[in-house]
C-alpha cells in the first residue's frame, strides 16, 4: 500500500508540474501573440510602401475615389517613419515615401493644369462664338495669356 501511495504522490507532483508548465506556456504564447500583433502594426507602415507604389504605378486617377485615401495613408506613413528614426532603414523608407508623395502631388498639378486648360479652351470658344470673327481673336489672345499666367501660378 505504501508503494502505491508513493506512486500516487509522484504522479500528483508530476501532474502539477506539467500543469504549471502548461500554464507558463499558455502565458508565453499570449505574450508572444501580443508582441506579434504590436510588431505587425508597426510593420504595416513600412509594408504600405509597396502597396501605395503599385497603386501609383498602375495609373491611379487623381479624381478617382481611391486617390485621396491613398494620399492620406501616404502622409500617415511619412509621419510615422519620420517620427521613428530608430528603426532600421527608416531613412530609406522616408525618402521613398517622399518620392511617392512628390509623384502624387505632381499628378495633382498635372490634373489641375489639364482642367484649367480645358476650361480656358471652353471659355475661349464660347467668347469667340459670341464675339464673332476678327474681334474674337484679340479676346482669345488675351484669354490665352490669362491661361498661361494661371498655368505659371499653378506650377509654382
Amino acid at each position: 500500500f505504501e508503494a502505491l501511495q508513493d506512486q500516487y504522490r509522484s504522479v500528483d507532483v508530476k501532474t502539477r508540474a506539467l500543469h504549471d508548465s502548461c500554464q507558463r506556456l499558455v502565458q508565453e504564447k499570449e505574450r508572444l501573440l501580443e508582441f506579434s500583433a504590436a510588431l505587425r502594426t508597426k510593420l504595416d507602415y513600412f509594408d504600405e510602401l509597396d502597396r501605395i507604389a503599385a497603386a501609383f504605378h498602375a495609373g491611379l486617377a487623381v479624381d478617382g475615389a481611391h486617390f485621396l485615401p491613398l494620399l492620406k495613408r501616404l502622409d500617415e506613413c511619412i509621419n510615422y517613419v519620420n517620427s521613428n528614426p530608430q528603426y532600421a532603414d527608416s531613412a530609406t523608407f522616408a525618402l521613398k515615401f517622399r518620392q511617392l508623395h512628390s509623384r502624387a502631388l505632381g499628378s495633382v498639378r498635372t490634373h489641375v493644369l489639364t482642367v484649367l486648360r480645358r476650361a480656358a479652351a471652353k471659355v475661349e470658344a464660347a467668347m469667340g462664338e459670341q464675339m464673332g470673327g476678327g474681334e474674337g481673336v484679340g479676346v482669345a489672345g488675351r484669354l490665352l495669356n490669362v491661361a498661361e499666367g494661371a498655368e505659371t501660378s499653378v506650377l509654382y
Side-chain angles (χ1 to χ4, degrees):
F1 184 71
E2 282 292 318
L4 188 59
Q5 280 184 334
D6 286 342
Q7 286 177 348
Y8 173 78
R9 284 185 208 119
S10 174
V11 169
D12 186 46
V13 168
K14 288 179 183 178
T15 303
R16 288 178 197 263
L18 180 62
H19 178 66
D20 291 342
S21 293
C22 288
Q23 288 287 16
R24 283 191 304 275
L25 287 173
V26 167
Q27 290 172 348
E28 180 70 13
K29 176 186 171 191
E30 289 173 0
R31 189 185 65 76
L32 288 173
L33 286 173
E34 289 173 8
F35 177 76
S36 173
L39 184 61
R40 171 64 12 222
T41 300
K42 292 176 182 180
L43 289 176
D44 281 343
Y45 288 99
F46 294 93
D47 291 341
E48 287 290 317
L49 178 65
D50 293 331
R51 190 180 71 79
I52 294 171
F56 282 125
H57 291 303
L60 185 66
V62 172
D63 55 352
H66 299 290
F67 187 81
L68 285 178
L70 202 60
L71 195 58
K72 182 179 182 208
R73 182 64 177 161
L74 182 58
D75 287 337
E76 290 170 359
C77 290
I78 289 171
N79 290 335
Y80 183 80
V81 170
N82 286 338
S83 66
N84 292 288
Q86 73 274 14
Y87 294 149
D89 297 329
S90 66
T92 303
F93 276 90
L95 176 66
K96 290 179 180 181
F97 279 127
R98 283 192 301 271
Q99 287 172 341
L100 280 174
H101 193 261
S102 294
R103 177 179 288 161
L105 294 180
S107 297
V108 169
R109 182 181 350 188
T110 301
H111 179 71
V112 168
L113 284 174
T114 301
V115 168
L116 285 174
R117 284 182 183 141
R118 286 181 188 155
K122 286 181 181 179
V123 168
E124 183 179 315
M127 290 189 76
E129 288 176 13
Q130 284 182 352
M131 296 293 189
E135 204 174 337
V137 172
V139 171
R142 284 194 302 267
L143 280 177
L144 187 58
N145 288 337
V146 170
E148 288 172 357
E151 181 177 329
T152 303
S153 296
V154 168
L155 286 175
Y156 295 102

